[in-house]
Amino acid sequence: MKSYDFEYDGLCLSDMGYIICRFDAESSQTVSNGSQITFNTTSTLNGSKYEQTSSEYGECLETTIQICKNPCLGDDMEIPFKELRDLMSWLNRKEFHKLKFLDGDYLDLYFEASFNVSRIELNGKVYGLELAVTTNRPFALREPRQIIVKNLIKNGKKTIHDISDEEGFIYPETEITINEAGTLSIYNAIEDRTMVIKNCIVGEVIKLDYPVISSSISTHHIENDFNWVFFRIANTFKYKKNDLTISLPCTIKLKYSPIVKMSF
């Protein structure tokens, strides 16, 4: 990745008068693309074959980058003590925050990260910082995607596509506005999976944010009418379509961040 700027927790590195740089580094390097999978196996046939028992991501994305003052803004490249404190306060946080690298291919991607910071000194003066980036996932995320599904008839058929790079499923933030009273069921053929909510009321707004469900109607004890099978979208390598059958007329708003198997 080639980038000179990043945005962290809503503030850009360039806003602070700094750029991404490299101190005395070679021009080429081998970089992991993230999503490193650990395959757990067990021996069979006297060790002539190993059967896969499970697999998992063994680590979150990590990298190291260096920054310095933007030389286009002046000749004095030394980082003063106050600016160093400001940078530490911004970057060295106990919680993960949204990190975006402002490079063309990465503009729609983000990570959740924090930094450990080391000084790069010359003759006791600070001229750069080395940032050890730690994230909370083994891959990047795409900026949240919103899908609106309007079902106007009973048992209407709708299709949506999951654009994640990762096979499997994601629980999207889901908001359902009911347009006809009754039992709402949403069947997703890709997983042969059905979510059911009974006793729905016209105008009721139901929100699902796994593992929480709520209703805009205080008298509807939705926890008793829910089968606790949360709606989710899924994909395989070859098949991305989620073919839905929706029992009641309603409007469904979905929001999720697709997985992107890229590193820094």
Side-chain angles (χ1 to χ4, degrees), residues 4 41 61 63 104 120 138 192 206 210 216 226 243:
Y4 298 101
T41 60
L61 290 178
T63 193
I120 299 172
D192 189 24
I206 298 169
Y210 184 83
S216 63
F226 181 41
D243 296 314

Side-chain angles (χ1 to χ4, degrees), residues 135-153:
T135 74
N136 61 353
R137 288 182 174 88
F139 38 67
L141 296 173
R142 183 170 290 178
E143 287 287 356
R145 182 183 185 214
Q146 182 165 294
I147 303 171
I148 298 178
V149 178
K150 293 184 178 181
N151 183 55
L152 303 178
I153 61 174

